Amino acid sequence: MQKNANRFVRTVVLVAVILAVGVGCDASGTQFTFGVTGQAIENQADLGRALPEAASITYRGVVTMFVPPVDAVVTFVEGENLIGNHISRIDDVTGSGGTFPFIESELKTTTSAEAWARIRVDFYTSRTYTGPGTGTRFTLTNLSAHFYDIDNAQSVEVIGATTYTLADNTHLTPSASGTGAIKFTSPNSETTESARTSYTVGRVTATYASTSSIE
């Protein structure tokens, strides 16, 4: 997935990705969890830090109904016009304690040019991933990823989704953006937190028939 912050100075961009999955043995509706009490998070100290390209956070046991469970590796692949060419936060909420069915990434820029970050979530059989080039991929079917808080001329590009759904009250405009990518753009100066709207206006639900990653 690629999150863009258009024409803003010192903009903080938050992306909440909530994952629900149906896999094989009728697991439809199973929700991913991040930051569960006792959940192992590799590189946990990096949750509150600005990180360079290729940095990642590994969440152990985001789905535990399988034996072994499923891990998720969230990677900041690349970006442009970010402060220090770093992503401000790969996940801004998990490290604060509690249980979350989502990750929330934060971007900061000090330029009026478009700033963006490309983020990928890869799924592995638990404890098999120990670094780049390792791990046993875990293929999920009927995976739905929900992208929230797309507002103020921001956009999200989703790659490889089978279908997508927008809310009836959406303010997002979809458009083709490269091979297999769809870009969802919000109007300028409209927020999902304004009194006349709800969070659904800035939400996209992308569905993947079969995948071991989302991007």
Side-chain angles (χ1 to χ4, degrees):
M1 74 205 78
Q2 180 171 302
K3 180 71 173 185
N4 302 302
N6 295 334
R7 300 184 299 279
F8 283 88
V9 178
R10 293 185 179 86
T11 296
V12 177
V13 181
L14 303 177
V15 187
V17 183
I18 302 177
L19 304 169
V21 61
V23 187
C25 302
D26 193 19
S28 182
T30 298
Q31 193 173 68
F32 282 43
T33 52
F34 298 83
V36 179
T37 300
Q39 181 183 38
I41 302 176
E42 304 298 328
N43 305 324
Q44 185 164 0
D46 287 341
L47 287 171
R49 298 174 179 169
L51 299 173
E53 292 181 350
S56 66
I57 304 291
T58 300
Y59 300 83
R60 303 296 187 188
V62 294
V63 176
T64 58
M65 65 174 294
F66 302 105
V67 180
V70 180
D71 293 346
V73 179
V74 183
T75 302
F76 167 44
V77 180
E78 58 181 340
E80 188 172 59
N81 292 324
L82 303 175
I83 295 177
N85 204 33
H86 283 46
I87 190 168
S88 181
R89 303 283 190 275
I90 283 183
D91 186 355
D92 195 43
V93 294
T94 299
S96 62
T99 300
F100 301 93
F102 58 87
I103 57 174
E104 188 174 272
S105 298
E106 178 184 272
L107 285 62
K108 290 184 179 179
T109 179
T110 55
T111 176
S112 59
E114 181 178 79
W116 56 267
R118 180 181 168 199
I119 301 167
R120 187 180 66 245
V121 183
D122 296 301
F123 305 107
Y124 293 90
T125 299
S126 191
R127 302 287 176 178
T128 63
Y129 178 86
T130 58
T134 68
T136 302
R137 292 292 190 127
F138 196 101
T139 299
L140 304 166
T141 61
N142 303 319
L143 172 69
S144 294
H146 306 281
F147 303 86
Y148 281 88
D149 200 15
I150 309 166
D151 57 15
N152 278 325
Q154 298 164 6
S155 62
V156 163
E157 294 184 26
V158 179
I159 300 173
T162 307
T163 60
Y164 69 86
T165 304
L166 300 174
D168 291 340
N169 65 339
T170 188
H171 67 194
L172 302 177
T173 301
S175 60
S177 179
T179 304
I182 303 175
K183 184 176 184 177
F184 302 91
T185 305
S186 69
N188 190 26
S189 301
E190 184 172 16
T191 73
T192 57
E193 298 183 28
S194 65
R196 67 183 185 83
T197 63
S198 70
Y199 278 104
T200 58
V201 302
R203 181 187 69 195
V204 175
T205 299
T207 302
Y208 304 79
S210 178
T211 188
S212 61
S213 67
I214 61 173
E215 188 171 340

